[in-house]
Amino acid sequence: MTLTSKALAPIVAAALASTALPATAETVIRLSTYVNEADIRYDGFVHFAELVSEKTGGSVKVEIFPSATLHGWSEGVDAVQGGVSDMSWIPADERLPCYRVTSLYPVAIDLENQVALDAGYAALVKDEAAKVNLVPVFNSNYSYDQEWWFEDGIEDLGKLDGKLVRSIGPLVSLMIETWGGQPVFVAPKEVFQSAERGVVDGINMGVATYSSWKLWDVMPYMVNANLFYGNINYMMNLDKFNSMSADEQAAVMAAASETETWLKPRYEDWVDQRVGNAVMKGGGAAVSIPQDQRMALIDSVQGTWDKEVDAACGGDLAGDIRALFASHAP
């Protein structure tokens, strides 16, 4: 049977339409982050979203919600478990006891191979995350820039003399208390007003977040102490992750890893530029403490914190985490 041109027309049109139209995403990942669009890390999430789309042929789409628009700082686990977001930063939550006490850790490390270090850490906390229906996907860069600010110069970070200092979690609270201060929890978006109104005398925060929220204007004196391993992990709802095909799962994880490598030098340069601009043009100051003082500050809390880690993680996992840090010692 010979088809006429009239009969062929709808078949050809359908074929052209199927090749010309972009694929509709079968899976949408709602990614929640506290960073705002002025932050270089936002560019990292955009890069991640582009890679996911590219690697999955458009079947998976990442939608980015910056500036904690979906939920507050402490609500990451609830938000991901409840479907408010599909992937989010995960704070020091008691449902993740080992992650809670190791995602920020008092230790000196060499950041040259940070991507591999972060991947090793995420692998060690993966089983605990799975128990609360989460899977680690994206590692943050907290190790590089978690520092301290005050309105005026401070002679010794280890002598806070009753100062109220913003804390982001249990380890930082221990540090502040050990050094004679009083920890105060303040969410990132509320730090500017808290500092401006005298609610806090000092701030512990990442340089990138500090710069993005324009906090150099209210507390311009930075102490660069370099006291932490930090990895506030972005985790995804495990059921949502498992609903994707094996190829899509692999694509999402590969996109995350490639983005971490892409972002690391850009992030570090961006942080350095913000500190430099604050010092050179904004009346800020940045002081690095000597190495012996750095190690003394770490030692002042490490023994106490290791007991917390042993209790929360169990001896074997705690030992594996410490061995990982030791393998990246300076």
Side-chain angles (χ1 to χ4, degrees), residues 16-31:
L16 288 172
S18 67
T19 57
L21 293 176
T24 302
E26 297 173 8
T27 301
V28 176
I29 299 172
R30 291 160 56 86
L31 190 161

Side-chain angles (χ1 to χ4, degrees), residues 60-304:
V60 179
K61 178 182 178 182
V62 176
E63 293 182 348
I64 307 163
F65 295 83
S67 303
T69 49
L70 292 183
H71 58 84
W73 171 264
S74 301
E75 299 158 7
V77 174
D78 289 323
V80 176
Q81 287 181 339
V84 174
S85 60
D86 301 308
M87 186 167 125
S88 174
W89 79 91
I90 300 298
D93 194 287
E94 291 183 352
R95 286 163 287 188
L96 296 163
C98 186
Y99 170 84
R100 179 175 182 268
V101 296
T102 57
S103 57
L104 207 63
Y105 204 104
V107 66
I109 55 170
D110 183 345
L111 294 177
E112 183 177 353
N113 296 310
Q114 183 187 338
V115 173
L117 168 60
D118 288 344
Y121 175 77
L124 288 173
V125 298
K126 182 179 179 181
D127 288 346
E128 179 179 78
K131 291 177 182 177
V132 290
N133 203 40
L134 300 173
V135 58
V137 175
F138 197 93
N139 297 293
S140 75
N141 301 68
Y142 257 53
S143 302
Y144 187 71
D145 78 338
Q146 190 71 17
E147 299 301 351
W148 310 80
W149 283 264
F150 301 90
E151 186 174 356
D152 301 307
I154 182 170
E155 207 168 293
D156 185 349
L157 185 61
K159 296 179 181 177
L160 292 175
D161 296 329
K163 285 183 170 60
L164 302 173
V165 182
R166 186 254 182 174
S167 171
I168 66 162
L171 170 61
V172 177
S173 294
L174 172 66
M175 288 179 158
I176 294 167
E177 290 169 347
T178 300
W179 303 334
Q182 299 180 50
V184 180
F185 175 78
V186 183
K189 290 177 70 173
E190 300 165 5
V191 173
F192 187 98
Q193 294 90 336
S194 298
E196 194 174 43
R197 296 169 186 168
V199 175
V200 293
D201 304 308
I203 296 170
N204 173 263
M205 202 176 206
V207 179
T209 308
Y210 197 87
S211 300
S212 297
W213 293 108
K214 303 185 185 304
L215 286 158
W216 287 97
D217 294 337
V218 290
M219 284 195 181
Y221 188 94
M222 185 183 100
V223 179
N224 178 28
N226 194 14
L227 304 176
F228 304 104
Y229 169 74
N231 186 355
I232 306 304
N233 215 286
Y234 282 75
M235 299 190 190
M236 185 173 172
N237 182 291
L238 183 56
D239 289 339
K240 179 97 174 192
F241 184 79
N242 287 337
S243 72
M244 298 187 294
S245 70
D247 286 345
E248 288 172 334
Q249 292 173 10
V252 168
M253 299 305 286
S257 179
E258 290 175 26
T259 298
E260 289 162 17
T261 300
W262 177 88
L263 182 59
K264 183 178 186 292
R266 292 169 174 81
Y267 180 84
E268 292 174 357
D269 287 347
W270 189 87
V271 167
D272 292 346
Q273 288 168 13
R274 293 310 176 278
V275 174
N277 289 342
V279 172
M280 297 299 293
K281 300 177 182 179
V287 176
S288 295
I289 66 174
Q291 179 67 6
D292 59 345
Q293 187 180 0
R294 175 195 182 199
M295 297 310 300
L297 288 170
I298 292 173
D299 290 344
S300 71
V301 296
Q302 195 171 69
T304 301

